[in-house]
Amino acid sequence: TRGRVAAVTGSISWEVELEKLRRFSLYQATVAAAAVLGLGLLTGAPAQAQKTVNIVVGEEPDDLDPCSASSSFSGRVIHQNVVETLAELKPNGDIEPLLATSWEQVNPLTWRYKIRQGVVFHDGAKLDADVVLKALDRIYSVKFMCMVKNKYFSTEKVTGKKVDDYTVDFSTAKPWPLVLVYMTGLVIPSPNTPSDKLQLNAIGTGPYMFDKWVQQQEISIKKNPNYWNKAKKFDVDVARYIIRKESPVRAAMVQVGEADIAPNIAANDANNTKTDIPYPNSETTWLRIDMTQPPLNDKRVRLALNYALDRKALADNFFARGSILAAQAWGPNVKGHNFEIDKRVYPFDPAKAKQLLAEAKAAGVKVDTEIELQGRMAVYDKADELMEAVYQ
């Protein structure tokens, strides 16, 4: 595809997973490694060479601290772009070496990682075992909320021990089958990174370096000329993340050439079939039911909630074309997806819901108890409207 790059609809839906569509190209003319720029999809390259990619996003990160690399807003800028991990979890579930070259199990409680030699941080510091141990310690010792800790290192406490200058043993108190998966979340910032406050810029080893942040306007990262992996070529010199809250504005910016990519626009703004492309998303929007609180501790009430929810109407009105209903949290493009469960999507059946509530009431369940519904605001376009519809 030639011309300006497509605006991209990346909406996720209430119990809905985007269909796995394949109608896109990978913007190969100017981005040699699209994944490194943290984008769900890149489409349609300009014919001429381009050194800057303008990505218009709807939200501004609170910070760019390495601890926030696992968050949606900060991570799209710095995760594997600016700060890297010992290993990388790929979409298909494979784990590939990154700042570690290999790992092996020493005993049921310990894994030994070999640290890559010759890696230099953006500030000139050198990567070694001591730096890795300091990174692990920072995750546990910071005085602020560390998203990486919450996501990867809250289930089991991981301790590290230096074996030699480029070897580290990581241990847990009990065998942890998922340790290799969770260790892919260990971001390694420069050893000069302070631990007493959140950082507005991350210093790492990645192919891109922090450039500037103009609050409420844009964030830019620039190519690291001293990146350790010389086998990878990066044609983009600068990636600009332009911040515009309104979805129609983001979509229009792509159409008029002010931006190259809009990773997430509302479905009603995706009205150009030549440039607006739904793409598979690994997330599913779902409602967590607190089964400890009456009347939600009664199965009939929980089933009634499911039958009372018109998932198709929600998908048709709030999300990208091609969205499909989900019966599980993991989509078909995520390792661990169970295709048999896909057949169990609850139909919209208000009569069945009322019947279940009547049965529960007859059994003494206080079905008229008020249920508090909480939703994360502005997590994606139309998220607030979706929650209002669910409430109704």
Side-chain angles (χ1 to χ4, degrees):
T1 309
R2 296 176 182 269
R4 301 307 300 179
V5 182
V8 182
T9 57
S11 303
I12 55 178
S13 67
W14 178 269
E15 287 285 347
V16 171
E17 177 72 26
L18 286 180
E19 187 175 9
K20 198 170 185 179
L21 302 179
R22 301 181 183 277
R23 294 176 288 111
F24 54 80
S25 61
L26 279 178
Y27 194 65
Q28 292 168 337
T30 64
V31 184
V36 173
L37 285 177
L39 305 174
L41 173 67
L42 297 171
T43 67
Q48 71 277 13
Q50 180 177 314
K51 295 298 184 181
T52 299
V53 169
N54 297 305
I55 307 147
V56 58
V57 297
E59 60 288 309
E60 183 173 30
D62 294 325
D63 58 80
L64 292 178
D65 193 277
C67 257
S68 301
S70 62
S71 71
S72 301
F73 303 153
S74 302
R76 65 152 53 102
V77 178
I78 64 173
H79 184 64
Q80 309 300 30
N81 296 341
V82 178
V83 290
E84 297 179 296
T85 53
L86 293 180
E88 184 177 9
L89 180 65
K90 307 301 287 187
N92 64 359
D94 292 342
I95 298 175
E96 296 184 355
L98 204 56
L99 293 182
T101 57
S102 63
W103 46 87
E104 62 177 345
Q105 190 170 26
V106 178
N107 58 56
L109 303 178
T110 303
W111 285 83
R112 178 164 294 171
Y113 279 69
K114 292 291 185 179
I115 310 304
R116 190 177 298 277
Q117 300 185 33
V119 177
V120 178
F121 288 88
H122 302 153
D123 61 359
K126 295 183 178 180
L127 176 69
D128 59 20
D130 291 325
V131 172
V132 171
L133 291 175
K134 188 170 184 178
L136 179 64
D137 179 69
R138 186 178 191 270
I139 288 174
Y140 285 111
S141 64
V142 291
K143 304 302 181 183
F144 49 85
M145 184 179 71
C146 183
M147 298 289 289
V148 168
K149 175 187 174 183
N150 291 353
K151 183 173 182 178
Y152 294 99
F153 297 97
S154 60
T155 304
E156 297 288 343
K157 177 68 181 290
V158 177
T159 59
K161 180 181 178 181
K162 179 178 177 179
V163 178
D164 60 40
D165 288 346
Y166 292 96
T167 307
V168 176
D169 282 353
F170 294 105
S171 302
T172 51
K174 59 183 180 181
W176 190 19
L178 294 176
V179 64
L180 293 182
V181 173
Y182 280 85
M183 285 300 294
T184 62
L186 180 57
V187 293
I188 312 295
S190 164
N192 299 315
T193 304
S195 297
D196 57 346
K197 60 181 179 181
L198 281 164
Q199 302 299 297
L200 297 182
N201 65 294
I203 300 174
T205 58
Y208 288 85
M209 310 164 58
F210 176 82
D211 182 26
K212 65 179 179 179
W213 185 352
V214 182
Q215 295 288 328
Q216 299 182 12
Q217 294 186 42
E218 69 174 76
I219 299 171
S220 63
I221 56 177
K222 60 185 179 181
K223 185 163 62 174
N224 173 16
N226 300 313
Y227 185 51
W228 58 267
N229 191 346
K230 303 303 181 184
K232 283 190 174 182
K233 304 299 181 183
F234 302 94
D235 295 333
V236 173
D237 292 319
V238 176
R240 295 176 63 227
Y241 296 85
I242 305 168
I243 301 157
R244 298 291 185 270
K245 294 183 178 180
E246 301 82 4
S247 174
V249 172
R250 298 197 301 276
M253 287 177 66
V254 173
Q255 297 300 327
V256 300
E258 293 180 3
D260 300 306
I261 302 165
N264 189 0
I265 60 175
N268 57 302
D269 296 322
N271 47 27
N272 187 335
T273 57
K274 294 182 179 180
T275 61
D276 304 336
I277 303 173
Y279 64 95
N281 192 302
S282 62
E283 297 179 343
T284 304
T285 301
W286 53 302
L287 179 67
R288 306 179 189 182
I289 300 177
D290 187 350
M291 296 169 58
T292 68
Q293 300 297 319
L296 297 175
N297 58 348
D298 188 273
K299 183 177 180 179
R300 290 162 295 197
V301 175
R302 298 195 300 272
L303 286 171
L305 290 177
N306 275 281
Y307 285 117
L309 192 65
D310 191 346
R311 290 168 174 78
K312 186 176 187 308
L314 295 174
D316 290 345
N317 284 280
F318 295 108
F319 299 102
R321 62 184 183 275
S323 297
I324 59 175
L325 307 185
Q328 57 191 304
W330 296 270
N333 56 336
V334 176
K335 198 166 188 177
H337 179 82
N338 187 330
F339 289 91
E340 286 299 314
I341 297 179
D342 287 342
K343 304 172 184 177
R344 306 176 194 171
V345 175
Y346 287 98
F348 177 50
D349 192 341
K352 180 71 172 178
K354 292 179 180 179
Q355 175 190 338
L356 287 164
L357 290 179
E359 293 176 1
K361 184 176 182 180
V365 178
K366 296 181 179 180
V367 297
D368 57 348
T369 303
E370 184 178 90
I371 297 173
E372 183 178 53
L373 178 65
Q374 299 181 356
R376 181 177 169 187
M377 298 180 66
V379 63
Y380 46 76
D381 285 295
K382 302 298 182 182
D384 299 3
E385 293 86 343
L386 172 69
M387 292 305 296
E388 291 172 0
V390 171
Y391 171 82
Q392 295 298 329

